[in-house]
Amino acid sequence: MRVLIIGGGGFLGQKLARRLAAAGELAGRAITALTLADLAPPAPVTGRVASQSLALDITDMAATGALIGAGHDVIYHLAAVVSGQAEAEFDLGMAVNLDGARHVFEGARALGAAEGSRPMVIFTSSIAVYGGELPEPIPDWAGLTPTNSYGAQKAAGELMLADYSRKGFLDGRALRLPTISIRPGKPNKAASSFMSSIFREPLQGEPAICPVSPDYTHWFLSPRACIENLVHAATIPDETWGPRRALALPGRTHRIGDMVEAMRRVAGDAPCELIRWQRDPEIESIVLGWKARLDPARALELGFVADASFEDNIRYFLEDDILPASH
Amino acid sequence: MRVLIIGGGGFLGQKLARRLAAAGELAGRAITALTLADLAPPAPVTGRVASQSLALDITDMAATGALIGAGHDVIYHLAAVVSGQAEAEFDLGMAVNLDGARHVFEGARALGAAEGSRPMVIFTSSIAVYGGELPEPIPDWAGLTPTNSYGAQKAAGELMLADYSRKGFLDGRALRLPTISIRPGKPNKAASSFMSSIFREPLQGEPAICPVSPDYTHWFLSPRACIENLVHAATIPDETWGPRRALALPGRTHRIGDMVEAMRRVAGDAPCELIRWQRDPEIESIVLGWKARLDPARALELGFVADASFEDNIRYFLEDDILPASH
């Protein structure tokens, strides 16, 4: 089993790489190669298998085709320009999120044609594909009504992936990720960045700004559960997956104020007092268009998982991202 | 009012051009220029305003930008590779239906930036964006679950048009056309071609093959009502149209066998006897994935229209497409 992670330098890519390297197998088959690609060569990971790292700009169609053409069985395509940046830099978002995805899919198609295989492509989409007037909880068959450029580009990517799959060019699986919290690392240009930073920074003694009211309510998943779901996606037989290639991952609906109280129960008062509440109309204009309640019936049926409570998300962050670094 | 029709050589493009030339106005403003573009320069039309014709290949980004950049207030984008051909020639479908649409939208964006305007772009999408498991009648907020490449490409075009509109680059309006029947002209590579030819050819004394059972049921609109809807789309104020840029046009659900009986009531037994019933699994594999029942509540609210009965579709064809030619 040869595995390629495009976007392997991102926080999900790195966690997924470490998880796969530690297990040494995916979908019951030994991993013989684990390749990480990103704009800069990602940090290598080791375990039962060692990774190799490469630089790749997916807006370069030829380079993307050449890298994928080297041969892979499962391609995780996690690379994207995040929501806030795709909104501010429209053409960059189109080039990376739409054209870049197409280059990946075309690369997999060419690889499949050359090898007589049907490479599996696991594509991270987003709940940003949902927007506007939809019934809540959002059923599996609603959708693709994005209200920002990131969501529109992800939705168009889903459509292409589904059609490439239907044509037999590849075996595509798109997962609509909830907002991931608590994301480790630094704040980024995602409009959702604060949904991690108001926990991550205070849990490390640093202040953070919350740009929405405590009543803002949204749909969340921990990095740990997200990684388990990314791995699980590769294990589901094609015939079980069926013709609808994209599905909304399970998550939990949380109110920001309640999430802060969950942090208080796990970590005490001090972190909560480091949050400054200061509303930002630009961020609100994006995130208020997002949805808070989904009914991910299909994903649950296929064995994907959510977190039990936001306290768990706090604990996972402390266990996975803070304690290892301080040892 | 400067109007451009891309796909102006097709049957809808030609009918729309004649309708606009005869009226001399659109949305209450006098038409000062009517430009028709297609792969080959379209037949010119005359009336209160005369058209000019140009050759344009929308897969050529620079040529598309140059033509649109010449200045237009309303751009009808009707050009497409039809469903059967998009299925058989995947890369051509992607190049014309997806990249070509993007070239048109980019051209309008550049025009708007140069003129300080927000060009109106009216884009013909299709009920082929619907497929798979959906509630029926399909509500306005369902959708974008295509089961063929044509539908996937139209759906991706809708997503781009909506996002370009939201960004203020243009004023986009996408209409999901029902299957148009009775379409004049020759059979084409659309999988739906028979849904016109089994009436059109027999009404002119020629035989035709029906590749599905009489029980096949689908969603239809006459060319005459379609043109009224294409004109109507330009008259709706932006604030009335709202943030969801695509809508399903009204239509009627008809069973093929009942449509043949409607032809019998209008034109007698002779045409019906010219239909040979011979099922074609390749065509069925596409059209059986299409939907028959929609609830186009939003379109009806905005004043779009359907036909009263399929007898009307038969009469419109005789009046609009047969009698003029024989005079």
Side-chain angles (χ1 to χ4, degrees):
Chain A
M1 175 77 90
R2 303 159 298 172
V3 180
L4 168 64
I5 305 176
I6 299 174
F11 84 98
L12 281 180
Q14 284 280 298
K15 282 181 181 284
L16 176 63
R18 287 197 294 270
R19 169 73 171 72
L20 294 177
E25 63 89 26
L26 179 60
R29 289 171 58 196
I31 296 174
T32 53
L34 176 59
T35 307
L36 312 183
D38 214 317
L39 279 175
V45 299
T46 52
R48 288 172 195 268
V49 58
S51 69
Q52 62 163 319
S53 292
L54 294 165
L56 174 68
D57 177 354
I58 58 171
T59 67
D60 181 336
M61 181 164 62
T64 306
L67 171 55
I68 294 176
H72 312 278
D73 300 297
V74 175
I75 299 161
Y76 284 96
H77 176 36
L78 314 179
V81 166
V82 294
S83 54
Q85 189 171 13
E87 201 59 34
E89 298 176 59
F90 179 81
D91 295 307
L92 179 67
M94 290 291 279
V96 173
N97 295 346
L98 186 59
D99 296 330
R102 185 163 163 194
H103 298 159
V104 170
F105 304 159
E106 278 292 323
R109 175 189 177 192
L111 169 65
E115 289 195 341
S117 67
R118 205 160 58 93
M120 183 182 289
V121 177
I122 297 175
F123 172 57
T124 46
S125 182
S126 164
I127 51 165
V129 302
Y130 300 120
E133 292 166 34
L134 287 176
E136 293 202 48
I138 300 172
D140 278 317
W141 46 269
L144 301 189
T145 54
T147 52
N148 59 73
S149 295
Y150 176 76
Q153 292 149 10
K154 286 291 187 186
E158 281 189 15
L159 287 165
M160 289 192 294
L161 188 71
D163 204 46
Y164 278 63
S165 298
R166 190 188 57 79
K167 295 290 282 185
F169 298 154
L170 47 75
D171 174 356
R173 291 136 189 246
L175 305 179
R176 294 175 188 149
L177 269 53
T179 290
I180 303 298
S181 179
I182 300 166
R183 189 176 63 74
K186 298 284 171 200
N188 69 5
K189 292 180 184 172
S192 59
S193 183
F194 76 90
M195 300 184 204
S196 286
S197 66
I198 62 170
F199 308 105
R200 181 183 59 227
E201 269 66 80
L203 284 167
Q204 298 175 91
E206 300 289 334
I209 292 171
C210 184
V212 300
S213 106
D215 284 329
Y216 179 72
T217 299
H218 191 56
W219 180 249
F220 295 98
L221 187 69
S222 69
R224 192 190 284 187
C226 183
I227 296 301
E228 288 314 303
N229 287 329
L230 285 170
V231 171
H232 183 64
T235 70
I236 298 172
D238 192 40
E239 58 277 16
T240 308
W241 193 285
R244 288 196 66 171
R245 310 308 300 185
L247 54 76
L249 279 187
R252 287 193 82 84
T253 302
H254 295 297
R255 186 181 155 273
I256 289 283
D258 295 339
M259 296 162 81
V260 172
E261 291 311 305
M263 177 164 70
R264 192 185 307 277
R265 284 191 290 277
V266 174
D269 290 336
C272 303
E273 283 156 20
L274 288 166
I275 301 173
R276 186 152 57 90
W277 299 84
Q278 182 183 317
R279 291 169 72 166
D280 178 330
E282 197 179 333
I283 288 176
E284 286 191 324
S285 75
I286 296 180
V287 303
L288 289 175
W290 294 352
K291 297 300 181 181
R293 289 171 216 284
L294 284 82
D295 176 12
R298 196 169 147 233
L300 291 170
E301 202 174 282
L302 289 173
F304 291 97
V305 297
D307 306 293
S309 71
F310 196 72
E311 282 89 334
D312 277 353
N313 298 49
I314 302 279
R315 287 184 203 108
Y316 296 157
F317 174 68
L318 296 174
E319 291 170 16
D320 295 349
D321 297 300
I322 300 295
L323 296 181
S326 60
H327 280 254
Chain B
M1 176 76 90
R2 302 159 299 172
V3 180
L4 169 63
I5 305 176
I6 298 173
F11 84 97
L12 281 181
Q14 284 280 299
K15 281 181 181 286
L16 177 62
R18 287 197 295 269
R19 168 73 171 71
L20 294 177
E25 63 88 27
L26 178 61
R29 289 170 58 195
I31 296 173
T32 53
L34 177 58
T35 307
L36 312 183
D38 214 316
L39 279 175
V45 300
T46 52
R48 290 172 195 267
V49 57
S51 69
Q52 61 164 321
S53 293
L54 294 165
L56 173 68
D57 177 352
I58 59 171
T59 67
D60 182 336
M61 181 164 63
T64 306
L67 170 55
I68 293 176
H72 312 278
D73 301 296
V74 175
I75 299 161
Y76 284 96
H77 176 36
L78 314 180
V81 166
V82 295
S83 54
Q85 189 171 13
E87 202 58 33
E89 298 176 59
F90 179 80
D91 295 306
L92 178 68
M94 290 292 278
V96 173
N97 295 347
L98 185 60
D99 296 329
R102 184 163 162 194
H103 297 159
V104 171
F105 304 159
E106 278 292 323
R109 175 188 178 193
L111 169 65
E115 289 194 340
S117 67
R118 205 161 59 93
M120 183 181 289
V121 177
I122 298 175
F123 172 58
T124 46
S125 182
S126 164
I127 52 165
V129 302
Y130 300 120
E133 292 166 34
L134 286 177
E136 293 202 47
I138 300 173
D140 278 318
W141 47 269
L144 301 188
T145 54
T147 52
N148 59 73
S149 295
Y150 175 76
Q153 292 149 10
K154 286 292 187 185
E158 282 190 13
L159 286 165
M160 290 192 293
L161 189 70
D163 204 46
Y164 277 64
S165 298
R166 191 187 57 79
K167 295 289 282 185
F169 298 154
L170 48 74
D171 174 357
R173 291 135 189 246
L175 306 179
R176 294 177 187 148
L177 269 53
T179 291
I180 303 297
S181 179
I182 300 167
R183 188 176 64 74
K186 299 283 172 202
N188 68 6
K189 292 179 184 173
S192 58
S193 183
F194 77 89
M195 300 183 203
S196 286
S197 64
I198 62 169
F199 309 106
R200 182 184 58 228
E201 269 67 79
L203 284 167
Q204 297 174 91
E206 301 290 334
I209 293 172
C210 184
V212 299
S213 106
D215 284 329
Y216 180 72
T217 299
H218 191 55
W219 180 249
F220 294 99
L221 187 69
S222 69
R224 192 191 282 188
C226 183
I227 295 301
E228 288 315 304
N229 287 330
L230 285 171
V231 170
H232 183 65
T235 70
I236 298 173
D238 192 41
E239 59 277 16
T240 308
W241 193 285
R244 287 194 69 169
R245 308 311 298 187
L247 55 76
L249 279 186
R252 288 192 82 84
T253 302
H254 295 296
R255 185 181 157 274
I256 289 283
D258 295 339
M259 297 162 80
V260 171
E261 290 312 304
M263 177 164 71
R264 192 187 307 277
R265 284 191 290 277
V266 174
D269 290 335
C272 303
E273 283 156 19
L274 288 166
I275 302 173
R276 187 151 57 91
W277 300 83
Q278 181 183 317
R279 291 170 73 167
D280 179 330
E282 197 179 332
I283 287 175
E284 285 190 325
S285 74
I286 296 180
V287 303
L288 289 175
W290 294 352
K291 297 300 180 180
R293 290 171 217 283
L294 285 81
D295 175 13
R298 197 169 147 232
L300 291 169
E301 203 173 281
L302 289 173
F304 292 96
V305 296
D307 306 294
S309 71
F310 197 72
E311 282 89 333
D312 277 353
N313 298 48
I314 301 279
R315 287 185 203 107
Y316 296 157
F317 174 68
L318 296 174
E319 291 170 17
D320 296 348
D321 297 299
I322 299 296
L323 295 180
S326 60
H327 279 253

